[in-house]
Structure formats: structure tokens, C-alpha cells
Amino acid sequence: MVQAINLALHQEMEKDDRVIVLGEDVGKDGGVFRLTEGLVQKFGEERVMDTPLAESGIVGVSIGMALYGLRPVCEIQFSGFSYQNLHQIENHASRLRRRSQGRLTVPMVLRAPYGGGIRALEHHSESREAFWAHIPGLKMVIPSGPRNARALLISAIRDPDPVIFYEPKAVYRAFREEVPEEEETMPLGKSQTVQEGKDITLISYGAMMRPTLEAAQELKEKDQVEAEVIDLLTIMPLDDELFTASVKKTGRALIVHEAPKSFGPGAEIASRIMEKSFFHLEAPIARVAGYDIVIPLFAREDAYLPNVQRIVRAARQVLSS
């Protein structure tokens, strides 16, 4: 995924000289995870800017750039530090289109690695996508693999409004996937069915897609269960047409995410299933999620994150109801 996101940035900067990259260590060091490697050598320091360690300043400057016609892509080194810029996002970036009655737009992307799985320090492993999804005027995108990360980032850069682009850092170097050199885009606000099935719908996104798919495989091999698996890709706006149609077919739903369970994306998804697919449900909707605690440090991280065993166990409970 690191190379795929780097490719997207290279291609968009080549295509559009309004695209500017800025953030802490994104220039000479190539970013904390090396996602911006090679950009400053190719495009220069006027388009790839190392900034002070000041997240609110990075986002404030990006908003100003966007208002004046540029397309800034700013990087926050870890999503746990992005709350310093919540004021800028909530009070300005998300509102300026409406406040100006459409005269002003903020075409910026805020990229941030998020989530657990790499045994990082405190403030480095949170999964707080619900914060951003709750703010009207923002789009909240989370890719799950290299190919869709490249395509979604290009679409996010071209979007006329602000996009929060969360990158599951547990996936950065977890597996390889073929990414064509030719340009690919994916529409924001659309989900994908990554596996067809008829017995239960598994809904997930980001780093949790891998254990969800492994669980689907285990259910098939050990229980002869055909699970349909949906990758959300965009948390806001939420593509509820796809997963409610799936639940109407299977009659059962299990939602998997690593964010805390209470008030998380799973609650919203379950509510929409109830609103649109209630009379097709054959069992209560279930969730496998992170716990309602601060994500623990590395010694207990594995106990916090959903895994294949928890997903399989929950799916069997739904199937037996």
C-alpha cells in the first residue's frame, strides 16, 4: 500500500501542478512511513513542503491553499495527533461551501495513518473514524488494500470538497497486490462486494478486511457457510444500498471494525439495516469491534483487536439464532 499511495501522489502531481503535499517530514525524509519518498526530488520544495510540528497549522494552511485554488494533500503523521486540527476541520473546512452558499469550496485531502496492529505507542493506534464521519460536509474514506488505496486517493484529490483519508497502517506492508501503472479511480461513497455468498453478510473495512475474509474462508471450510463480504471503502457518505440489499438476500449480518463498539460505525450500519431490511432479518445483527477503552499498548494489543476467531465465533452465533 505504501508504494500504491506513493504512485497516486506522483501521478496526480505530474498531472496537476495545483496538487501540493505538505506535512511533518514529508520532504527530505519521505514521510514517517516513506509514503512521500521521492516527491521533493521530483517536484521541488515549493510543492512538497516540510512543515513545523504543528497539526493545526498544517491543516489551516491547507484550507487557505484550497480556497485560493490549490489542491493540498496534507499528512498528519498519526491519526491520534489529528485532534489538534479538529477546530480547523469542523469550523472551517467542512462548512465553507455552505457558509458561502457554494461560492467557496475546500478541495483538500487530509491523510493520516490510523489503527492498531504495529505495536506502536500511545496516540498512535486509535481508530476514530466516527469523529470525522459525524461532521457534515466531510467525506471519510478508508482503503483496505494497495489497489483501492491508489484509486481512492486519486478520486479524493480530485474531489471538490474536503476528504479525510485514513490509511490502515497495519496494511501498509502486510501484503502485495498488483496495481496497474495506468490510472485508476474509484467513486467515493461506494462500497464493494468482494465475495459473493448467501448465508450471512459480513461488513467491514480497512485493516479488518483481512481477518474478515479469513473468517469467511474458515466458515466455508469448516461450516459449509457461504458468507457475502462487503468492503465499505467510504465511511461517509455510507453506501447503505449495497449492504442492505445483501442482508435482504442473506437475512443475517455481522459488522466488524476495530473502533470502539459503542457509538461506532457498526451502530450506524446496524441501524440502517434495521430501517431498510428489518423484515428480511432472520437473526439479530451482531458486531465484532474494539472495546470501549483506550487501545492498549503492544502487550495487550492483540487482545483488543478483532481477530479471525472472534469473527468466526460471532458469525456462528448469528447463524444459529
Side-chain angles (χ1 to χ4, degrees):
M1 183 180 285
V2 168
Q3 291 178 311
I5 290 174
N6 183 271
L7 177 62
L9 293 170
H10 268 277
Q11 291 182 327
E12 281 305 284
M13 294 185 77
E14 282 178 342
K15 184 184 287 285
D16 187 346
D17 60 10
R18 298 174 300 169
V19 179
I20 306 292
V21 170
L22 67 158
E24 298 157 15
D25 300 323
V26 299
K28 294 179 181 177
D29 286 345
V32 65
F33 288 101
R34 304 295 178 263
L35 277 91
T36 56
E37 202 161 45
L39 294 178
V40 72
Q41 290 82 1
K42 187 170 184 178
F43 300 103
E45 294 182 353
E46 290 191 352
R47 295 186 63 196
V48 184
M49 302 176 185
D50 279 324
T51 68
L53 197 161
E55 285 79 9
S56 182
I58 294 168
V59 174
V61 167
S62 297
I63 294 170
M65 286 180 172
L67 290 173
Y68 276 88
L70 299 175
R71 291 187 173 267
V73 182
C74 64
E75 177 180 298
I76 301 299
Q77 286 195 339
F78 293 91
S79 65
F81 300 119
S82 62
Y83 317 126
Q84 300 294 334
N85 59 55
L86 181 61
H87 165 77
Q88 299 281 3
I89 294 291
E90 155 65 23
N91 287 335
H92 301 299
S94 68
R95 294 170 181 259
L96 279 167
R97 176 184 282 279
R98 184 176 183 277
R99 186 183 298 161
S100 67
Q101 297 183 339
R103 291 192 297 273
L104 299 174
T105 59
V106 184
M108 62 171 284
V109 179
L110 187 156
R111 292 183 38 245
Y114 89 101
I118 66 165
R119 299 177 180 273
L121 308 174
E122 189 179 10
H123 298 303
H124 290 64
S125 303
E126 286 79 9
S127 184
R128 299 284 191 262
E129 55 273 26
F131 281 16
W132 308 111
H134 191 66
I135 299 177
L138 297 182
K139 295 184 178 72
M140 172 76 231
V141 177
I142 302 183
S144 61
R147 188 167 182 172
N148 59 44
R150 197 276 289 263
L152 288 168
L153 181 55
I154 289 176
S155 298
I157 293 171
R158 296 177 184 179
D159 196 273
D161 292 306
V163 178
I164 308 297
F165 195 86
Y166 260 19
E167 298 163 4
K169 56 183 177 290
V171 180
Y172 271 161
R173 294 181 170 85
F175 64 95
R176 293 181 180 276
E177 188 177 61
E178 193 69 29
V179 178
E181 285 291 331
E182 296 76 25
E183 177 184 297
E184 279 190 326
T185 59
M186 293 180 72
L188 306 185
K190 291 293 182 184
S191 302
Q192 277 192 334
T193 301
V194 295
Q195 178 175 305
E196 299 278 351
K198 60 180 179 58
D199 297 318
I200 185 172
T201 301
L202 307 182
I203 305 164
S204 189
Y205 56 91
M208 290 298 101
M209 281 307 300
R210 294 194 78 201
T212 300
L213 284 166
E214 290 177 30
Q217 184 63 27
E218 185 168 326
L219 288 166
K220 182 178 182 181
E221 293 174 355
K222 295 184 177 178
D223 303 80
Q224 291 75 54
V225 167
E226 295 182 24
E228 184 145 296
V229 183
I230 291 177
D231 185 351
L232 290 180
L233 297 172
T234 302
I235 307 303
M236 183 68 191
L238 194 59
D239 182 11
D240 53 18
E241 288 188 12
L242 189 70
F243 63 72
T244 54
S246 176
V247 174
K248 286 178 181 177
K249 178 174 68 173
T250 66
R252 303 173 192 273
L254 173 63
I255 306 154
V256 182
H257 61 64
E258 64 181 282
K261 185 175 184 178
S262 295
F263 307 100
E268 177 66 26
I269 295 165
S271 178
R272 296 201 191 190
I273 292 171
M274 289 289 289
E275 290 169 354
K276 297 191 174 185
S277 312
F278 176 75
F279 292 107
H280 296 80
L281 284 172
E282 297 180 24
I285 303 161
R287 291 175 284 169
V288 176
Y291 299 104
D292 295 337
I293 59 172
V294 174
I295 183 170
L297 299 179
F298 59 87
R300 299 287 182 271
E301 189 180 48
D302 288 344
Y304 174 91
L305 293 170
N307 56 33
V308 176
Q309 291 72 37
R310 283 176 62 188
I311 299 168
V312 168
R313 187 163 58 244
R316 285 172 177 160
Q317 289 176 347
V318 173
L319 289 159
S320 64
S321 297

